[in-house]
Amino acid sequence: MSTEKKYDVAVILINYNSSDFTINCIEKIIEKTSTALSYQIVVVDNASEKEDCNKVEQFCNKANLEHLTFVRSKINTGFGGGNMYGVQFANANYYAFVNNDSIFINDCLSIIVNAMKNNSEYGICGPLCFKEDGKLLPTIDHFASPGREILGRKFLEKFNPKIYPNRKTKYTEPKQAQFVSGSFMVVNAADFNAVGGFDTNIFLYYEETDLCKRLLKMGKKAFLIPKAEFIHYHGVSTPSSINIKIELKISLLYVIRKHYGFIWHRILLTYLQVQYFFKSFFKPKYWPLFKVLFKGASLSDSLKTKQRIQS
């Protein structure tokens, strides 16, 4: 990749043992994105199995496109870490972090970038999302917080709909929210760099809450841009398992401690300990999760600490 040319937007894609989705995603980006927009695609293989990694690399080499770059990390650094690695090969005014199990329905990149250029308060934006069956998949949400975890989203939305807009509504005009989903988010590169990018202590989940909270302190708000549309094959790279549920709680508690302090962290940890203690009696599969919570669910229990360097 030439470091001299600066693109309008750089798309960062992470591949992790899901090469078919990655290749399909790249093809749709190229197909749907207007030639009037200068863009690059940086594909980061996050220590996939060799065969899967080779498949993506061969596709990228065969495509022989100046704006398509393939790089490989020899260790799985998670969502935030993988994207931060990819950013180092990007040279653009905006970064688009797109899950590889995404399919553009229309010219998402041009629509969002143009909206952000025309609205200085748009700090981080995402498109309208649909499941593969055509049903709406919420792409705006409320910050991970003690209130959301204990009281629930529905209560917050009824209590204060202005601050907590209904995430399951199909909006037709740009809608401000607390954060947009990490499955597809576009951010001004200068703002992203100014806040330090993703917190790589987080291996998976809640990266959006953390990033959007830090951007908001700069006055940069999160917006849904519904004219841009895409399909998300939810959870392809991270299939559901008890280890993923454990990671979810570790990341949640880390973000709560970081942004709300020790006392709220302790309150939520105790709440989850009690909840999963009783839940484990009815669903024994939750015992490993309770054990991690009982120990404090620290980052030392994260999947990040269990990664190995690949050849």
Side-chain angles (χ1 to χ4, degrees), residues 15 17 46 73 100 129 153 155 159 179 212 238 272 288 302 306:
N15 179 68
N17 293 321
N46 223 356
S73 172
N100 71 326
C129 182
R153 291 181 174 92
F155 175 86
F159 178 73
F179 76 85
C212 289
T238 52
L272 292 173
S302 170
K306 301 174 177 60

Side-chain angles (χ1 to χ4, degrees), residues 119-295:
N119 296 274
S120 59
E121 67 174 347
Y122 289 10
I124 184 166
C125 296
L128 196 63
C129 182
F130 298 92
K131 298 178 183 179
E132 53 268 36
D133 60 5
K135 294 181 180 178
L136 182 71
L137 184 63
T139 46
I140 59 172
D141 206 342
H142 324 310
F143 286 140
S145 66
R148 194 190 84 171
E149 297 307 314
I150 296 172
L151 299 175
R153 291 181 174 92
K154 289 183 179 179
F155 175 86
L156 295 177
E157 289 170 3
K158 288 181 180 180
F159 178 73
N160 195 333
K162 185 175 181 180
I163 296 178
Y164 304 102
N166 191 315
R167 54 197 286 272
K168 295 183 178 180
T169 296
K170 186 177 179 181
Y171 296 100
T172 57
E173 296 296 328
K175 184 67 176 178
Q176 184 182 348
Q178 293 188 335
F179 76 85
V180 294
S181 170
S183 59
F184 191 145
M185 50 188 175
V186 182
V187 60
N188 185 294
D191 294 337
F192 182 84
N193 295 340
V195 298
F198 291 108
D199 182 343
T200 55
N201 286 316
I202 304 171
F203 187 73
L204 285 174
Y205 304 113
Y206 296 103
E207 301 91 351
E208 313 102 311
T209 278
D210 176 67
L211 177 61
C212 289
K213 269 187 166 294
R214 287 182 281 125
L215 286 168
L216 187 58
K217 290 178 181 178
M218 292 175 53
K220 301 295 183 176
K221 301 172 183 177
F223 273 84
L224 167 70
I225 310 297
K227 287 184 179 179
E229 299 180 345
F230 80 112
I231 296 169
H232 185 206
Y233 292 89
H234 192 57
V236 168
S237 296
T238 52
S240 179
S241 70
I242 193 61
N243 287 332
I244 292 301
K245 291 182 185 296
I246 290 171
E247 196 67 29
L248 194 71
K249 298 306 180 189
I250 290 172
S251 298
L252 168 64
L253 288 162
Y254 172 80
V255 168
I256 295 298
R257 177 69 178 86
K258 178 177 178 179
H259 292 284
Y260 295 91
F262 173 79
I263 293 176
W264 277 117
H265 171 269
R266 183 57 57 180
I267 290 172
L268 183 58
L269 175 60
T270 302
Y271 170 80
L272 292 173
Q273 287 170 337
V274 173
Q275 180 186 45
Y276 281 95
F277 175 75
F278 288 105
K279 186 176 284 190
S280 297
F281 282 104
F282 300 98
K283 295 183 179 180
K285 67 178 182 179
Y286 286 118
W287 278 116
L289 173 53
F290 168 72
K291 290 177 182 177
V292 171
L293 289 168
F294 182 74
K295 291 192 299 177

